[in-house]
Amino acid sequence: MKFPLLKGIYLLMFLSVFLGCDSEDEDREPQLPEVVTVIDESEAVITYTSVQISGTVMETDSEIQSYGVVWGTNPNPTLEDNVALPEGQSATTSISKSTQKQSESSFVVKIEDLNPGINYYFRTFATNEAGTAYGEELSIETDSLEGSKWEITYHHDEDTSWIGHVVFHEDGTAFYTEPAAPGVYDLWGEWSIEDNVLTYDMMADDEGESYILTGELQENEMSGTYTFLTSNGMTNRSWTATLIE
């Protein structure tokens, strides 16, 4: 007769512990998520108009409602400033508890449409029911072409090439001259840049002529193609350039 009684006691003890643990889980206050910035300033992918930043949302018991990068021109940006989400994530995307308990969640965010030569501040973030947590702050300055002087070699054909110098100004204008003929081919044009791709119109105000250069910058060098108008229409040729100062 004692054995059924002991079994009943053990069952009551088990249920008490199990229900107590469940009650503790329900009563436990949700904790802020933990998010870290994987890279530092020296490792960030930086162009003239964009920055790419990596982060990781650490394991958590609460559902992650959103995560990504906040940024601005002042220190300590928050969700009240600019928000950039990883590709494919919408405002309603979340990471479930089961997913987070199994592994961390890494992400990459590319912030575009920045201005060249400006210092920006970036922080990774993650939000759950307890609130929003932020990762380490990065202070990053985008590259700048403003005020730089370049020597451009135009490869017109096998027998024809020439050298020009161009200075890119802050207001989006550019001044071109040829050292072999000073004062003869002085031209004011316009330029713009996206990521590391330059577009330079040598004769922006001259409707009868057209020399438009496009090319990619790689540190102190750049290269690409230029188009010009001929009797047969627009023609493409190549060009290369090196930084003078």
Side-chain angles (χ1 to χ4, degrees):
M1 297 295 294
K2 291 181 179 180
F3 292 103
L5 178 60
L6 287 174
K7 289 182 178 179
I9 292 173
Y10 290 143
L11 178 60
L12 289 173
M13 291 175 62
F14 173 78
L15 290 174
S16 176
V17 172
F18 177 78
L19 293 175
C21 291
D22 187 61
S23 176
E24 288 179 6
D25 289 340
E26 291 181 355
D27 294 338
R28 184 182 301 166
E29 289 292 328
Q31 300 296 310
L32 283 172
E34 181 183 357
V35 60
V36 298
T37 304
V38 176
I39 61 172
D40 58 27
E41 288 89 340
S42 64
E43 297 172 322
V45 179
I46 306 169
T47 74
Y48 287 80
T49 62
S50 69
V51 172
Q52 184 171 293
I53 295 175
S54 302
T56 298
V57 181
M58 309 305 288
E59 294 183 5
T60 177
D61 290 333
S62 298
E63 183 178 278
I64 300 299
Q65 298 166 355
S66 64
Y67 58 97
V69 174
V70 293
W71 59 277
T73 54
N74 295 316
N76 300 316
T78 69
L79 292 175
E80 299 298 320
D81 297 293
N82 304 288
V83 179
L85 303 177
E87 185 176 357
Q89 183 191 158
S90 67
T92 58
T93 300
S94 64
I95 305 174
S96 67
K97 291 183 181 180
S98 59
T99 301
Q100 280 296 81
K101 285 182 177 179
Q102 292 174 6
S103 63
E104 302 169 352
S105 179
S106 299
F107 60 89
V108 177
V109 175
K110 184 177 181 180
I111 298 94
E112 301 180 289
D113 298 325
L114 303 177
N115 292 318
I118 300 296
N119 192 72
Y120 293 95
Y121 297 89
F122 304 89
R123 291 201 293 178
T124 52
F125 79 91
T127 300
N128 66 4
E129 58 182 323
T132 299
Y134 297 96
E136 301 85 347
E137 180 177 81
L138 299 179
S139 176
I140 297 174
E141 183 175 351
T142 51
D143 295 331
S144 177
L145 196 62
E146 299 166 0
S148 62
K149 184 176 182 179
W150 295 75
E151 181 172 281
I152 301 178
T153 301
Y154 295 81
H155 307 283
H156 200 72
D157 54 43
E158 293 183 359
D159 301 319
T160 307
S161 64
W162 69 90
I163 291 175
H165 289 174
V166 60
V167 177
F168 296 98
H169 295 283
E170 182 179 0
D171 61 358
T173 62
F175 180 71
Y176 171 90
T177 188
E178 294 182 11
V184 177
Y185 299 105
D186 292 353
L187 302 170
W188 281 98
E190 296 178 350
W191 67 278
S192 63
I193 194 165
E194 183 174 351
D195 283 342
N196 284 340
V197 178
L198 170 73
T199 300
Y200 167 39
D201 187 347
M202 290 178 56
M203 307 176 185
D205 296 331
D206 193 336
E207 297 181 358
E209 295 287 343
S210 176
Y211 271 79
I212 300 177
L213 286 71
T214 58
E216 185 172 0
L217 290 90
Q218 297 289 343
E219 296 183 353
N220 296 331
E221 298 180 347
M222 53 182 169
S223 61
T225 61
Y226 67 95
T227 61
F228 59 97
L229 184 63
T230 68
S231 58
N232 297 322
M234 301 301 292
T235 303
N236 294 328
R237 294 290 187 270
S238 65
W239 61 273
T240 56
T242 55
L243 181 66
I244 299 176
E245 60 185 50

